Amino acid sequence: MSHEVMNQVPPLSGHDVAADPALAAALAREGADWAEGELRQLGTLAGSAKAQEWGRLANENEPVLRTHDRYGHRIDEVEFHPAWHELMTVAVEHGLHAAPWTMARPGAHVARAAKFYVWSQVEAGHGCPISMTYASVAALRHAPALAGEWEAALAARTYDPGLRPLADKRGVLAGMAMTEKQGGSDVRANLTTAEPLGDGAYALNGHKWFNSAPMCDVFLVLAQAPGGLSCFLLPRVLPDGTRNAVRLMRLKDKLGNRSNASAEVEYDDAVAWLVGEEGRGVRTIIEMVNMTRLDCVIGSAAGMRLGLTQAVHHARHRAAFGRPLIDQPLMRNVLADLALESEAATVLMMRLAGATDRAVAGQAQEGLFRRVALAAGKYWVCKRAAGHAAEALECLGGNGYVEESGMPRLFRESPLNGIWEGSGNVAALDLMRALTREPEAAEAYFAEVELAADPRVSESVSRVRKTLAHATEADARRLAEEMALVLQASLLIRFAPAGVADAFCASRLGGGSGRAYGALGPGPDLDAILARI
């Protein structure tokens, strides 16, 4: 019997996760090349064995709900492993949360997107409170007085966990609670009530089925006020230091995202303050939802890049049938196809980040483009993530099915962004609403994709226009898919090497999508595609 270890792949660590040519080019193109130094620093940390160990420990030691202390006092706290706090500290110190909102520098949201993409490849779960904190500011600005009170603490680059009043915190994090048992995505069916207290505050009573990141300091919540469904700011600790009446009932036992806590909560005369106007809660909180949808695209793109990197690393070091896997034609086809999907997701998420940056700065055309492109991109990139993770896992064979490889964690995480902030149907129908109610947004999209000036894109645009002219709700998914693919193709034609763009167009446009990865036809320059990984 031999115990010599042979033909096993060495650990993938000690590399720069930000050494990604598509990401680097987009960072400069979208106006944030000034952040390259910090991005590469973060990428080096993300590729270290230390950071990867934090990710493993945070997922293997899941959060624990403590409803009461040893004396019987209600505390409603969530305990986390120290590795979780290490991940959060890095994320906050690098401004992955709300820091861009207090930076006047162009490209701040782009730089933040790139860093979120890189650091998410270490561990995805802790990105949830980071993302919601980022997104909360957009909604909170509907209430200038509240924004003035909370925004500086939300944007502070100090991670300061623990439930204390705002005045005693060096930095705070935000979550949100919209969905309820009876309604789910139909938030207008919410039954939580909000009664005015006469001093500007409201008393909230009800039950939320999903409270993302219940350990946060403050939440944006939907509830039925006298004037209709409204948005409220609800702190966990009131200004006088007393705990608000937010009861954590249980933590959800989820498929993935195990490091992060998601809870069911009850409000028992919980005190909250109105954000925006009564009756316009959805219109107010949609600002936050759209920002988190951007992060859904970024997170899915990050997962694709991670899966691709792991698959290529394995193929370079594992031999079968007398030669390395990376040299075998069929494996090369699979890896190249995964690389095409990954790069297309990366250029799209960075274009969306650029549009966000410019829309926040007041560029109306970019806001119109983002309205359509974000809905289509959220639908398609998140939809492709699960299949991509499964194929990347399969590249490792049986080793990929073993928990120690990290690939099962990636696979379990892969459906989340497609569900979070509106599942596939919700995103596709949102796109339909934008196209029918805001025709100028549709034209902003077409103006963008037609910048490619390529016959393949022109043909696909004509097909999309014809579909749109007669589309019904039943066509929403097909339309979202086609629009996302055309946008990705346009971006790759303009900004990627010709070999990458040509292979993507040949395999994705004109009905080429939907097949298994690794079915690229003859003609693609696989060497050129694989060289970019």
Side-chain angles (χ1 to χ4, degrees), residues 300 303-308 310-311 331 334-335 338 341 381-402 405-415 515-518:
S300 291
M304 289 183 189
R305 178 68 184 183
L306 174 60
L308 171 66
Q310 293 284 356
M331 179 59 81
V334 171
L335 294 173
L338 292 173
E341 197 72 36
V381 174
C382 298
K383 187 66 66 182
R384 294 289 278 176
H388 194 279
E391 197 67 57
L393 182 155
E394 188 176 325
C395 289
L396 277 65
N399 289 332
Y401 204 68
V402 175
S405 72
M407 299 303 280
R409 192 176 95 208
L410 174 66
F411 182 68
R412 288 192 300 269
E413 193 74 24
S414 61
R515 299 180 301 180
Y517 289 106

Side-chain angles (χ1 to χ4, degrees), residues 118-157:
V118 165
W119 192 240
S120 292
Q121 293 179 53
V122 175
E123 201 285 316
H126 79 290
C128 176
I130 294 297
S131 177
M132 289 189 298
T133 303
Y134 169 63
S136 67
V137 176
L140 196 56
R141 288 183 171 180
H142 286 270
L146 290 175
E149 182 181 357
W150 285 88
E151 194 169 306
L154 288 166
R157 293 199 182 201

Side-chain angles (χ1 to χ4, degrees), residues 30-380:
E30 299 295 342
D33 50 351
W34 50 265
E36 183 179 0
E38 186 183 359
L39 180 65
R40 299 301 292 267
Q41 178 189 24
L42 184 62
T44 300
L45 178 59
S48 69
K50 175 176 66 175
Q52 292 175 22
E53 183 70 356
W54 289 341
R56 181 186 71 82
L57 290 171
N59 279 270
E60 292 184 2
N61 299 274
E62 299 176 18
V64 176
L65 173 62
R66 305 293 185 196
T67 57
H68 296 76
D69 67 13
R70 59 181 289 192
Y71 305 106
H73 302 117
R74 188 100 199 191
I75 57 173
D76 295 288
E77 293 191 0
V78 184
E79 292 182 358
F80 289 87
H81 188 272
W84 166 272
H85 297 298
E86 297 283 3
L87 294 165
M88 291 291 293
T89 297
V90 172
V92 172
E93 288 181 348
H94 283 269
L96 274 62
H97 60 317
W101 295 105
T102 57
M103 298 173 64
R105 193 169 195 174
H109 292 271
V110 175
R112 181 259 170 196
K115 289 186 286 187
F116 190 80
Y117 169 88
V118 165
W119 192 240
S120 292
Q121 293 179 53
V122 175
E123 201 285 316
H126 79 290
C128 176
I130 294 297
S131 177
M132 289 189 298
T133 303
Y134 169 63
S136 67
V137 176
L140 196 56
R141 288 183 171 180
H142 286 270
L146 290 175
E149 182 181 357
W150 285 88
E151 194 169 306
L154 288 166
R157 293 199 182 201
T158 301
Y159 175 57
D160 187 10
L163 295 179
R164 300 186 302 280
L166 174 61
D168 296 338
K169 298 278 289 190
R170 294 172 296 161
V172 299
L173 297 173
M176 67 175 160
M178 295 194 298
T179 59
E180 298 184 0
K181 287 179 284 191
Q182 75 286 347
S185 296
D186 182 9
V187 295
R188 294 189 185 278
N190 281 3
L191 299 178
T192 297
T193 61
E195 294 295 329
L197 294 175
D199 58 355
Y202 290 70
L204 270 57
N205 287 277
H207 186 113
K208 293 296 180 182
W209 191 234
F210 278 102
N211 187 158
S212 302
M215 61 286 183
C216 289
D217 300 280
V218 66
F219 299 89
L220 292 184
V221 177
L222 290 180
Q224 299 286 355
L229 189 64
S230 307
C231 180
F232 295 90
L233 181 140
L234 186 152
R236 285 293 312 276
V237 180
L238 296 173
D240 64 3
T242 59
R243 297 288 179 94
N244 208 351
V246 179
R247 313 303 186 203
L248 306 189
M249 308 307 293
R250 63 170 176 166
L251 299 185
K252 297 289 192 178
D253 186 8
K254 298 170 292 185
L255 168 67
N257 205 246
R258 308 291 292 189
S259 68
N260 179 46
S262 301
E264 290 177 39
V265 301
E266 286 188 355
Y267 306 135
D268 183 11
D269 283 338
V271 180
W273 284 264
L274 183 66
V275 180
E277 302 174 23
E278 279 195 11
R280 297 177 67 84
V282 173
R283 179 72 63 87
T284 300
I285 208 169
I286 201 67
E287 301 282 354
M288 184 175 186
V289 171
N290 279 331
M291 287 295 177
T292 52
R293 284 179 177 172
L294 171 61
D295 280 3
C296 288
V297 179
I298 299 171
S300 291
M304 289 183 189
R305 178 68 184 183
L306 174 60
L308 171 66
T309 304
Q310 293 284 356
V312 171
H313 177 73
H314 181 88
R316 283 178 173 156
H317 292 88
R318 180 82 165 179
F321 310 110
R323 53 182 171 166
L325 290 174
I326 193 71
D327 294 335
Q328 303 197 24
L330 196 54
M331 179 59 81
R332 291 174 67 78
N333 196 305
V334 171
L335 294 173
D337 211 355
L338 292 173
L340 292 176
E341 197 72 36
S342 174
E343 183 154 350
T346 300
V347 297
L348 176 54
M349 72 94 173
M350 288 296 280
R351 178 66 184 91
L352 291 171
T356 298
D357 200 77
R358 291 182 281 275
V360 169
Q363 296 186 28
Q365 185 72 5
E366 287 290 275
L368 291 170
F369 163 74
R370 181 180 179 275
R371 175 70 181 91
V372 168
L374 181 57
K378 199 282 185 185
Y379 171 83
W380 184 240

